[in-house]
Amino acid sequence: MRALKQLTAALLASLALAGCSSLPADAVRGTGDLGVVIERAAGRVKVVEHSHDSILGTVEGLGDLSHAHVAFSRDARYAYVFGRDGGLTKVDLLARRIDRRVIQAGNSIGGSVSQDGRLVVAQNYEPGGIKAFDADTLELVADVPAEYAPGKFSRVVGLADIPGQRFVYALFDADEIRVTDFSDPKHPVTTRYPAGHQPYDGLVTPDGRYFLAGLFGEDGISLLDLWKPEAGARKILSGYGRGEEKLPVFKMPHLRGWSLAAGQAWLPAIGRHEVLVADAASWKETGRVAVKGQPVFVMARPDGRQVWVNFAFPDNEWVQVIDTVEKRVVHTFSPGKAVLHLEFTPRGDEVWLSARDSHRVTVMDTASFAIRRELAVDAPSGIFFTSRAQRIGF
């Protein structure tokens, strides 16, 4: 009897191996080198991979992607796409199809995934507030309105996940920073902190300790120490902003595109042709780097040696590279018209740049600045790689 069981097990194992060997070569693969590129005008995404710099397929039917953001599931198989029309779409990157989709708001500009990967949280302009959804089913778990006075609701900006099943975000209309704890997902607890005037975006430092909210209504930045939140938010870099001379702002810089590199914070100056440099411990300004236009994204290569900068109109065809040791621009080039976004591969050997009006994505070697590949994409904007799934604040 025992011999028969062993023979049966051996036959089943051999059949399983035979079945696996008959699968197509691309049927089983990892997700660590995958990503999506937003085709903003067409309401679809390209699924891409950066091991060989190729497009794997297209997923359509994602609605208004004019201000789209993407977060990834814990296992990096699924992309959660947040659309401007309030759509939240779960995209299966391996099957290259929509897994689930809900319209959860009237106007949404982004979201994030909880520390344990079980919740997807969207930040909304209309109605103002945040909503938490089950990451598997996209069923609503909790609704947290951003009510700051009776019947008044603020637009939410700068939402980021932080340790402890918490999310931190800013209220543009309420001059507040809020932290919501989803340890009990159906009964979230929110703490409010006064901030400066009109926080327009925010970011969390890579260690999850500090939340920085840029201020549109005044010069400076509100900083909240998330390890010691009881001290409240404080104002830093009071000279940061448009200053006494109110310069025209053609596009607000993205704080999520700020960088920490070489012990310094690298920030896009509002309305100015400068990148501001500040000490990441004291948060005091240490210098400024003159650049070609008004910076939008100031992105550090993963090793921190370089910072790459793109610009608002009319200089939005240009990109500049700053050496963080020498604190100077070392390379200037144009990868196409209307460069909207850039994304580094996880170890920083490549950077992908989207040129909306040239309808292409350029893949560049970050050491030699040589072009490795150009990919045809319809009006590309945001580029998001699955390595974001393993990072705090994304």
Side-chain angles (χ1 to χ4, degrees), residues 7-327:
L7 178 61
T8 301
L11 285 170
L12 289 173
S14 64
L15 286 171
L17 287 172
C20 288
S21 64
S22 66
L23 289 172
D26 63 348
V28 178
R29 63 160 298 152
T31 59
D33 64 345
L34 297 185
V36 298
V37 179
I38 302 296
E39 291 187 305
R40 58 183 290 152
R44 62 192 178 209
V45 298
K46 286 280 192 286
V47 179
V48 299
E49 57 83 28
H50 53 70
S51 290
H52 303 94
D53 302 331
S54 69
I55 296 172
L56 299 178
T58 303
V59 181
E60 303 195 42
L62 278 75
D64 182 356
L65 299 184
S66 59
H67 191 293
H69 181 73
V70 178
F72 295 95
S73 62
R74 186 184 180 100
D75 62 3
R77 175 170 178 173
Y78 298 98
Y80 299 99
V81 183
F82 303 86
R84 194 64 187 250
D85 57 1
L88 169 56
T89 309
K90 183 181 179 183
V91 175
D92 187 328
L93 298 177
L94 294 181
R96 296 192 280 282
R97 62 175 176 82
I98 292 176
D99 183 82
R100 285 174 172 81
R101 175 173 165 80
V102 297
I103 301 297
Q104 58 85 30
N107 189 339
S108 179
I109 63 165
S112 192
V113 176
S114 64
Q115 186 179 34
D116 65 2
R118 295 180 180 178
L119 296 177
V120 179
V121 175
Q123 64 175 13
N124 296 321
Y125 272 9
E126 177 63 40
I130 64 174
K131 291 182 179 180
F133 300 86
D134 183 284
D136 291 330
T137 66
L138 295 192
E139 293 180 359
L140 181 65
V141 175
D143 185 353
V144 184
E147 188 174 15
Y148 62 96
K152 293 185 178 182
F153 299 86
S154 173
R155 290 166 284 183
V156 171
V157 295
L159 178 95
D161 61 281
I162 55 176
Q165 292 297 101
R166 297 176 299 157
F167 291 81
V168 59
Y169 49 99
L171 274 59
F172 180 85
D173 304 291
D175 300 343
E176 287 185 1
I177 295 171
R178 293 189 180 184
V179 178
T180 299
D181 188 333
F182 286 94
S183 296
D184 183 353
K186 293 186 177 182
H187 301 92
V189 177
T190 299
T191 307
R192 303 166 61 171
Y193 303 94
H197 188 40
Q198 294 180 328
Y200 67 88
D201 200 359
L203 87 159
V204 170
T205 54
D207 59 4
R209 177 165 185 176
Y210 296 103
F211 179 72
L212 289 82
L215 303 176
F216 186 74
E218 62 179 286
D219 284 352
I221 296 170
S222 283
L223 180 142
L224 179 65
D225 186 340
L226 297 166
W227 292 4
K228 300 178 180 179
E230 62 278 1
R234 63 187 176 97
K235 188 174 179 179
I236 61 171
L237 299 172
S238 57
Y240 174 71
R242 288 172 287 174
E244 295 180 1
E245 180 187 356
K246 299 302 181 185
L247 301 173
V249 179
F250 296 108
K251 183 175 176 62
M252 288 302 295
H254 283 249
L255 271 68
R256 203 60 57 90
W258 293 4
S259 299
L260 291 176
Q264 306 282 313
W266 300 76
L267 318 173
I270 301 175
R272 298 184 178 276
H273 294 193
E274 295 175 328
V275 171
L276 177 67
V277 188
D279 182 82
S282 67
W283 301 106
K284 293 182 178 179
E285 182 178 336
T286 59
R288 298 193 178 209
V289 179
V291 290
K292 194 173 184 65
Q294 293 183 17
V296 177
F297 283 100
V298 177
M299 305 283 284
R301 196 173 69 178
D303 65 352
R305 181 58 196 267
Q306 295 175 346
V307 165
W308 291 54
V309 187
N310 73 329
F311 304 102
F313 179 84
D315 301 302
N316 57 353
E317 71 172 281
W318 297 100
V319 173
Q320 291 190 304
V321 183
I322 297 172
D323 183 296
T324 58
V325 174
E326 298 179 5
K327 291 188 174 65

